[in-house]
Amino acid sequence: MKFKYILLIFLSSVLFQHLNAQTKSKYPQDYFRSPVEGRIYLSGTFGELRSNHFHGGIDIKTGGVEGKNIYAAADGWVSRIKISPWGYGNAVYIDHPNGYTTVYGHLKELKGDAAKYVEQQQYKNQSFSVDLYVKAGQFPVKKGDIIALSGNTGGSGGPHLHFEIRETANQEIINPLLFGFKVKDFITPTISSIRIYPAEEQAKIEGKQNAQTFTLKGWGSDYLLKEKDTLEIAGDFYLGINTIDKQNDTQNKNGVYEIEIFVDSNLVYSHNVERLNFASTRYINTLIDFDFYKKKGRSYQRTYQSPNNKLPIYDKIVNKGVFSFNDNQYHQIKYIVKDIHDNKAILNFTVFSKTIENNESLSSGNLYYPLGENNYEDENIKVYFPSRSLYDTLSFSSSIEESDKSINGKKYHIGKVGAGLQEHIHVKLKNIEIEEDLKNNIYIGEYYKKSISAYSSSWENTNDLSYKTRDFGEYLILVDTIAPSIKVRTKLENNKTPKSLSFTITDQESGISDYNAWFNGSWILMSYDPKKSRLTCHLNNIQEKNVFKIIIKDGVGNISEKILHF
């Protein structure tokens, strides 16, 4: 089918350029102050490609240390406080009268009355992890108030502040750099390579029927193909690009803001990361070449929009991102990659489109479709795919091989590792023969790159083992009969009661699932840092004779207990 470019496409491209120039003016430019003191240095940008999600804010450096003052970006009131060993760690949410919410994550500690309130609620719920929604006006803040100290809590890979701006009404996250924060950036994005993918079974890229990678050469902001300037492509195809951005005076490889593609001077594709929502962030797994990412660790942002792709990032996408020339003609393709400060990297190359006579589908096997429910079953495995769990049509299969790591001697291959999943699928491993007294100690392990991730499981119909997963791959049935390890880190001298206690807790099998401690018979708050496998607490109300008791539970219910006397 010949690719048609009409006047409407040209007019819409002109309109898009006008609208793009107006984007920043939609947001207040002087309302919010910086949440940190001094110049902003970024270690992460909004919309940056992360594992299984887009980055939902900006990461602001704190000099590689914890304990820096964090300031309220504007007048408002604390609306939510979330404390967790995972994700944002210690996080504060502030609502503002102008309809926006600012979020401050990975904090070391909170300041003021809000900090006292959190501790009260933790003791009330007897839980370190709390998610507290606060009444409007209970904890008012003024612009510039110190609300917390920076830290490294939750899923942080080093000390920094994770900062977001959301639209309060719908909780959509907006790129904070659209609000006038000053970041020094005169550096153009870098394009390392592109991949070209056949979009039909008969298509060929440079004579080959699979995706091909092409490295680039560049001078400043201009890039060309390294080996040749013209590529021969037969049939329909789509594109992928590997690109990063940097800012001045930092070495971090961050995400880009916008990607545009022009064919023969007409805009045919554009997306930007102005706004995101949490319901769609996992769709990153269909934007990128997920199979290549799993194998090589490099992300290529693809033009192809799969049937189950609900990303809100597209400004323009012709023919679902598939290029359909088939006309024995030359076509000029231009990539423009921009950061949020409008620094541009430009790639130009030419394709010659060969005609394909026969483009009949050769697909066969068990095909499963993304927009409805699917079921698979054989004598060993049953899999239920909820609606929209797949991104695209999938040829699914499963198999079993021997494994000395599994308690039943089997390794289960569930689908293809490089095919992503949006929703959890339900897997049932059938007719599992395991000693009855071990059944309560069973868990599922995903085996990937010589490491194992633990999944909880449950027994059905006596000998069927069920679990949920959002990853295709290799799975083992494992047994855990070893209780977690508890080691006292605090140096104890002459039975003298210390002001605080620190423990290292580990479990090499099913993982830590729960922990509790009591001091002189009363529950005591323990802070958990899973990155360091560390539990800590502060001791109050010390008596002449004191007893401290800690209990740790793993994923299958094995329990360890330690009692200390002072």
Side-chain angles (χ1 to χ4, degrees), residues 298-564:
R298 294 202 305 276
S299 296
Y300 284 85
Q301 301 187 57
R302 307 184 305 169
T303 59
Y304 172 58
Q305 185 180 31
S306 64
N308 184 23
N309 177 349
K310 300 174 77 172
L311 284 172
I313 64 175
Y314 299 103
D315 285 307
K316 186 175 189 63
I317 183 165
V318 175
N319 198 32
K320 299 296 183 181
V322 174
F323 300 85
S324 184
F325 300 135
N326 203 33
D327 58 3
N328 287 321
Q329 299 290 325
Y330 289 93
H331 296 276
Q332 305 299 319
I333 296 180
K334 175 190 285 188
Y335 258 110
I336 301 180
V337 180
K338 303 178 186 177
D339 63 23
I340 201 163
H341 299 101
D342 210 35
N343 299 305
K344 300 176 183 179
I346 300 172
L347 165 65
N348 284 286
F349 64 98
T350 303
V351 299
F352 177 72
S353 173
K354 287 187 64 176
T355 301
I356 287 184
E357 298 294 336
N358 177 21
N359 60 358
E360 294 181 4
S361 174
L362 302 175
S363 294
S364 60
N366 298 314
L367 296 181
Y368 294 81
Y369 300 94
L371 303 184
E373 298 180 358
N374 295 277
N375 289 281
Y376 170 90
E377 186 169 11
D378 60 29
E379 60 181 348
N380 299 301
I381 298 171
K382 183 176 182 179
V383 183
Y384 166 65
F385 299 84
S387 177
R388 292 190 176 273
S389 54
L390 302 175
Y391 295 114
D392 209 338
T393 302
L394 176 72
S395 178
F396 178 81
S397 64
S398 69
S399 62
I400 296 176
E401 66 174 278
E402 293 184 0
S403 173
D404 58 4
K405 298 181 183 295
S406 179
I407 191 172
N408 69 336
K410 297 178 180 178
K411 180 191 292 183
Y412 297 83
H413 296 264
I414 310 296
K416 179 184 176 184
V417 173
L421 285 166
Q422 178 66 17
E423 305 293 342
H424 286 89
I425 59 173
H426 304 235
V427 181
K428 181 185 290 186
L429 308 180
K430 299 160 64 175
N431 304 316
I432 307 302
E433 296 183 1
I434 291 176
E435 295 176 30
E436 196 66 29
D437 61 348
L438 291 178
K439 282 192 172 182
N440 290 334
N441 296 90
I442 293 299
Y443 69 101
I444 298 294
E446 180 186 5
Y447 186 71
Y448 179 66
K449 291 187 176 179
K450 298 182 179 181
S451 65
I452 292 177
S453 301
Y455 290 72
S456 61
S457 59
S458 60
W459 290 98
E460 295 183 17
N461 304 323
T462 307
N463 291 317
D464 294 342
L465 193 60
S466 296
Y467 66 99
K468 295 181 181 180
T469 180
R470 284 204 288 190
D471 291 299
F472 289 125
E474 301 175 350
Y475 290 89
L476 305 167
I477 301 175
L478 302 173
V479 62
D480 182 3
T481 59
I482 302 172
S485 168
I486 306 174
K487 295 181 180 179
V488 182
R489 299 185 70 255
T490 305
K491 184 178 289 187
L492 304 177
E493 298 178 353
N494 301 321
N495 289 330
K496 184 179 179 180
T497 303
K499 294 182 179 180
S500 63
L501 285 174
S502 178
F503 300 87
T504 298
I505 60 171
T506 55
D507 188 88
Q508 301 302 320
E509 297 287 342
S510 55
I512 303 294
S513 68
D514 195 19
Y515 54 90
N516 279 285
W518 296 261
F519 185 54
N520 295 331
S522 297
W523 185 88
I524 188 169
L525 176 64
M526 301 285 290
S527 299
Y528 182 39
D529 184 349
K531 295 192 294 291
K532 298 178 181 178
S533 301
R534 187 174 299 173
L535 277 176
T536 57
C537 70
H538 298 281
L539 302 180
N540 298 312
N541 301 319
I542 297 173
Q543 303 173 14
E544 185 174 347
K545 292 183 179 181
N546 302 278
V547 179
F548 184 92
K549 179 180 178 181
I550 182 171
I551 294 178
I552 310 296
K553 184 187 294 184
D554 68 16
V556 299
N558 296 310
I559 291 176
S560 288
E561 177 181 304
K562 187 175 285 289
I563 298 177
L564 303 175

